[in-house]
Amino acid sequence: MTQSPDPVEGTVPPATGVWADIVGQPVAVRTLFAAAQAAHLQVRGEPAPAGAMTHAWLFTGPPGSGRSVAARAFAAALQCTEADAMPGCGRCSACRTVMSGTHADVRVVVPEGLTISVREMRALVQAAARRPTTGQWRVVLIEDSDRLTEGAANALLKAVEEPPDRTVFLLCAPSDHPEDVPVTIRSRCRAMQLRTPLAASIAEVLRERDDVDDGMAQWAASVCGGHIGRARRLATDPAARERRDKVLSIPAGLRRFSDVFTAASGLVKSSESEAVAANEDRNEAEKDELRTAMGAGGTGKGTASATRGANAALKELEKRQKSRATRSQRDALDLALVDLAGFYRDVLVSRSGSGAPLNHPDYASDVSRAAAQWTSESALRRLEAVLECRTALTQNVKPIIAVEAMVATLHHG
């Protein structure tokens, strides 16, 4: 695996512009800033520090560490037109369009289904082979690249092995483990490992950028598990706080065996309703746009064939929307399971007397009661049940079956 060389000596990374969006990652900012400087020197044909810039990058880190945020900021810095002053200024048209997702030479792939297909990747690779049209680089940013199918990964590998001139691939994944990123791709990328941001850094972001009051910012930062996006939702969305409370009330609410099915059903239905709420407006807007584009409501010669084409396109759109809804539900359910796992981890911490920070400090009294009632082995079995449920969901086990099996173990320990 290619190791990240030290940043350019003397480089002082800024805390403004697009770089300000990268929270709690000073080493990553320093390296990416130096690489952006080297990239602009290359474009001008001037000598650049050896190894500072390369054609493929792999951003890894735990959920919420800001992998895609760092990758997008780096893409903006590569396209920045004010690079002589500071690459990634955040003010020029190039920086603004990259950050808003409208730059012509920056392609951002966000998988809406459970996987990224080989057909989608082949089309992406073909587009990446073209020279940049308005910017200095052709940038391909793939979020959740761990969702590549085997065929899609092979298609990407060919492009990474023989990269087009002035094309940069930015891949984001939870880790560089072979289960997330094939070794063949990983070995051709420069690793950029991000860490979990500190609670103090997250609270500062919430106060300064989201105008959250200090008390709420401190609380959200302390319970989000280092996930910046989650902290923002908890701080600004009462519904998100209510969903978290319902999940964390499950351990104390399993008094009778019948409670197992009530809790499991509630957990699955909550994730389903959250997925519907997240996609409903977008689904209808996409259908309306497609119908309009296909000439819905038209009359005259050719309308019959146009209608047949519109119906086929509508069925394909509905198929994609169903896949997106499935992923949204799985993501919502997984987030609930992460909260639940954090509770049982806190019980183990409490029983050990280690003094380590709790994942859910606002539920410390519930944790203490559970720690007094359960043995460490029982708490560990419950934690393992939650983790096994998460694994089962990635293997396409029906959610209600996986969750009921988990909650049954949570009940009897």
Side-chain angles (χ1 to χ4, degrees), residues 1-2 15 31 37 54 97-98 126 149 161 166 171 201 255 305 325 341 376 407:
M1 181 178 63
T2 305
T31 302
Q37 288 182 316
T54 188
T97 53
V98 171
Q126 289 178 352
T149 63
E161 284 181 326
R166 300 275 288 278
L171 313 181
S201 299
R255 298 182 179 87
S305 60
S376 297
V407 181

Side-chain angles (χ1 to χ4, degrees), residues 164-234:
D165 187 36
R166 300 275 288 278
T167 295
V168 181
F169 293 92
L170 309 179
L171 313 181
C172 303
S175 74
D176 59 5
H177 190 277
E179 289 186 357
D180 289 334
V181 182
V183 175
T184 49
I185 292 179
R186 182 189 66 186
S187 64
R188 289 162 175 80
C189 295
R190 180 169 171 186
M192 181 56 55
Q193 186 172 7
L194 306 183
R195 66 182 187 180
T196 300
L198 298 176
S201 299
I202 297 175
E204 182 181 0
V205 169
L206 295 178
R207 287 192 299 267
E208 295 185 358
R209 299 184 206 173
D210 298 287
D211 199 26
V212 176
D213 68 77
D214 184 64
M216 178 62 75
Q218 294 285 355
W219 171 81
S222 70
V223 302
C224 70
H227 195 302
I228 301 170
R230 181 85 197 286
R232 183 173 287 114
R233 286 193 296 273
L234 288 171

Side-chain angles (χ1 to χ4, degrees), residues 167-379:
T167 295
V168 181
F169 293 92
L170 309 179
L171 313 181
C172 303
S175 74
D176 59 5
H177 190 277
E179 289 186 357
D180 289 334
V181 182
V183 175
T184 49
I185 292 179
R186 182 189 66 186
S187 64
R188 289 162 175 80
C189 295
R190 180 169 171 186
M192 181 56 55
Q193 186 172 7
L194 306 183
R195 66 182 187 180
T196 300
L198 298 176
S201 299
I202 297 175
E204 182 181 0
V205 169
L206 295 178
R207 287 192 299 267
E208 295 185 358
R209 299 184 206 173
D210 298 287
D211 199 26
V212 176
D213 68 77
D214 184 64
M216 178 62 75
Q218 294 285 355
W219 171 81
S222 70
V223 302
C224 70
H227 195 302
I228 301 170
R230 181 85 197 286
R232 183 173 287 114
R233 286 193 296 273
L234 288 171
T236 59
D237 184 2
R241 297 194 290 271
E242 182 180 353
R243 285 193 294 269
R244 174 178 176 270
D245 288 336
K246 287 182 178 179
V247 170
L248 294 177
S249 68
I250 289 176
L254 298 175
R255 298 182 179 87
R256 300 177 301 276
F257 190 71
S258 59
D259 295 332
V260 167
F261 302 99
T262 302
S265 176
L267 200 55
V268 173
K269 287 181 179 179
S270 176
S271 66
E272 289 175 347
S273 61
E274 187 175 350
V276 169
N279 294 303
E280 189 172 18
D281 292 342
R282 182 180 177 184
N283 288 349
E284 287 305 314
E286 288 176 342
K287 289 179 181 179
D288 290 342
E289 289 176 4
L290 180 60
R291 293 189 186 102
T292 302
M294 299 297 289
T299 59
K301 188 180 295 184
T303 56
S305 60
T307 299
R308 286 194 296 272
N311 290 337
L314 188 59
K315 287 183 179 179
E316 180 63 26
L317 174 61
E318 289 174 344
K319 182 179 178 181
R320 293 199 304 271
Q321 289 177 342
K322 184 178 180 180
S323 178
R324 183 170 65 204
T326 299
R327 182 193 168 184
S328 296
Q329 182 193 354
R330 298 289 174 88
D331 288 347
L333 187 52
D334 187 68
L335 185 59
L337 295 179
V338 169
D339 278 341
L340 205 52
F343 180 90
Y344 293 109
R345 175 264 181 194
D346 287 351
V347 173
L348 287 170
V349 168
S350 180
R351 284 193 57 82
S352 70
S354 71
L358 299 182
N359 284 331
H360 304 297
D362 52 337
Y363 276 78
S365 57
D366 287 4
V367 167
S368 296
R369 281 194 294 270
Q373 296 171 7
W374 304 337
T375 64
S376 297
E377 291 78 7
S378 176

